[in-house]
Amino acid sequence: MQVKSRKIMDYVLNDHRDLRDRLFVLMSAVMLLSCCITLVVHLFSGTNLRSILIPAAAMLVLTVVTMLCIRADRVRLGAIIVSADISLIYAPVLFFFSGGLNGEAPLWFLFGFFFLNICLDGKVKYAVLLLELAEAIGCWYISLQYPALITSNTSLWAHTFSLLALLLIAASMSIMIGFRNAFFQREMAHSRAQQKEIEALSEAQNHFFSSMSHEIRTPINTIIALNEMILRENISEEVAEDAANIQSASKMLLHLINDILDMSKFASGQMKLTPTVYHPGDMLSEIVGMLWIRAKEKQLDFQVNVSSDLPAELLGDEIRIKQILINVLNNAIKYTNEGSVSLSIQPGETENGLLNVIYSVSDTGIGIKKENIPYLFTAFKRVDEQQNRHIEGTGLGLSIVQQFVDLMGGRITVNSIYTKGSTFIIEIPQKAVGTQHIGEITIDSGQTAFKRQTHFSGFEAPEAKVLVVDDNAPNLLVVSKLLRDTKVQVDTVPSGEEALKRTLNQYYHVIFMDHLMPHMDGIECLRAIRSQIGGRCKESKIVALTANAGSENRILYEKEGFDGYLTKPITGDVIEKELYRLLPRDLTVVRGSGEEILQETISWMKREQRKKTVAITTESVADLPQEIIERYGIAVLPHLVRTAEGSFMDGIEIETRGLLDYMQDLSRKVVTRVPSVETVEAFFAKQLTTANNIIHVSISGDLANSGCPVAMEAAKAFNNVTVIDSGHLSSGQGLMVIEACRLAEEGRSPDEIKAHLEKIKPKIHTSFVVDSLDFLARCEQVSSRVARVTKSLMARPVLSLRHGKMGVGKVYFGARERAWKHYIDSVLRNPAEIDKRILFVTYVGITKREMDWIRQQVEKHMTFDRIYFQQASPVIAVNCGDGTFGLLIREADGYAGGP
């Protein structure tokens, strides 16, 4: 018996067994013990033989079934048998021979339901449940209609058996639930430990890939840059062609490194797209320049055919699209031994403002077996390994392609005939910028064969002083040589400490700073230079020149205050352009004798070329002062004012005072309108030429003629435009805009800015006191009758925004000044709860004397850091009329109430 008990416990505690099987064995053991106790009680009670045989039979069945099932490893079958025995035999027999409803049978029916749910699953569980339910209903019906069929116990023993059953069943259920809970808690602890281990491994892997990328980029930077210097020299055509091959091979190596780094980003969920406006023709020339050498080595015909109606400029992630095409083309060249590889590009359908650009890569290679196509995009897996064992490769390329295409909302399909060749069709939706087409161009291997090129520096700046800080000596040499033709004065230092010694006594116009350096890294050095006592370079332009690639690093450097960001490996053209962008114009001399060369050189010398990470835009109804618009570079989308004379852009083609004078004639009707979806799309597209992401803060979507729904519809055409319903209008909306600009300057992401603005939305309070409702009545916002009644009573309503909707909050009666004073007192009654940084007094038709009076009343309550008196835009003024003003405030941080 001890051996069997140990075997049962070993089974129950075996974590490799199924939980339901273990619960069944444990429950069977507990029930066996319960039946023993019940049998002993029945023996001592002197009840009839049938009452003794029932628990004895149950013990026998449980013992035999449990032991046989454990021995045969058929525990699931045993669970079904025992469940059926309890639910369909044991409980009904007890019902008829142990007192029916007054005995312990109802408790055993309940236990049967519990046992079924614990030990069984699937269709079998529900079948037995239905049978037990039907049988229980039948027993209850027989007890009601035919009570004579029920054998009753004496009152004392009936109560005794019921109490005993209650205690045993409660104990059994408690043991089962406790065991199950303990199991789940142990599994949860195990899962948490595994999760931490996985996160630690993932973090270690990401760190390894990032470090590997950084370490490999550094020597590649030296190879590419010094090789570029060789190409600039007066060398033979043979040496120049060899150098060009080195350049191409180095770029392919860099591409492979990027693939490995990107796989780690995909695995950790950190991969993000960075859409920019780019020229597909330039991108294709660079791709072919990298790959034609490999095609030439295998004597393949390499062609690129571009549809003439492809847009000349597209908005998309150029780097990732280039990476997709390089991977697919490289794969095609790799698996093609003779024949050709071709890339063709054509525009597809336009849907929701996005053009579906179709890239097709065809080859005459070995093809792909049909059964291998489903595994084509699996990372680290190479299809038909036996056939392709002599072909080099990591198995990463197509997996990265699939993930990038999915991330861009596109799709990739494969057509292949084994031994005949393959065609990959990639569709990527992108935004067409402008109306120009690329025209008739054809790029092929014959046209991209090696051509000797003479380097031409776009400018000279002999008086400019540049400092290069890098702990790697070859990198210092590289930058010095690449800038040689510009004739700038270049000093180099190997550490941050040495840089501080130089900046203490010497002024440099531009400093190129490496990030990862021993003792003092680039960020620490930047901070030290900016705060250096007696230092001469506090205002110098400092550029991060680092091997740390990725959009997250760009955000880091922008946030830390770097004036630019360049990634290694660096080329002469890139560093020259960056230097020209940062140098004072009076130090630079543009080179070139012809007007054509001058225009070509200046074409890339635009200060606006560096895009913002996040740009904030809004509408003319936000009523922002011009100095704030200029301070943050806010782009403003004008609403429209329509009169009998035409349609005018709010605040641009029509101004507030002129519009109110025009409306003095009551026969003249003025209507406000929001811009069309097409207009807003064009507005967003224009802003995306100077920013990678847009946060558009819109007027409350619950107001009549709101521009918010239109902006949201237009934003669907872009992946990087976020429209936020401010829940306010006028300068209340403006306060949201200012907060968004502040967060963008801090380097916050679009998602972070959106989340923060949603959080502060209830903390901003927008209200206006108006002289009358006449203008609202003319705009059909209220009835004319209501307007006449309020005017006759000298009532001055307060219009307030609550949850994005405009309504009448309070009404003041009497003279204008008295009503205004009550309004100011009401808004500013709790100064401690109001943000003191800024107050907007937005008005329509208020005189200078009245503004001064309002300022005096405000200052009696509290002092603000800055008070802006802002005239409302024409669209706002149309609905308010003369004699209107509002105090637009924000609650202090940490306060959740209302003023």
Side-chain angles (χ1 to χ4, degrees), residues 842-860:
T842 306
Y843 64 89
V844 180
I846 300 293
T847 66
K848 178 64 169 59
R849 186 192 66 80
E850 289 170 331
M851 292 183 202
D852 292 339
W853 181 86
I854 292 171
R855 182 186 293 273
Q856 291 173 4
Q857 296 300 314
V858 168
E859 290 176 348
K860 288 179 181 179

Side-chain angles (χ1 to χ4, degrees), residues 122-192:
K123 295 180 180 179
V124 175
K125 180 180 78 171
Y126 294 109
V128 180
L129 276 173
L130 288 174
L131 287 174
E132 182 181 2
L133 182 62
E135 197 166 36
I137 293 173
C139 290
W140 259 255
Y141 178 79
I142 292 171
S143 176
L144 178 64
Q145 297 295 331
Y146 309 101
L149 296 177
I150 307 300
T151 301
S152 300
N153 290 320
T154 62
S155 178
L156 174 62
W157 288 112
H159 284 78
T160 301
F161 293 145
S162 295
L163 178 61
L164 177 64
L166 175 63
L167 294 176
L168 292 175
I169 290 172
S172 300
M173 293 173 69
S174 298
I175 292 172
M176 292 302 101
I177 294 172
F179 180 82
R180 191 169 184 173
N181 289 343
F183 172 82
F184 286 142
Q185 288 174 1
R186 187 168 62 255
E187 288 299 310
M188 287 177 63
H190 182 62
S191 297
R192 284 194 291 266

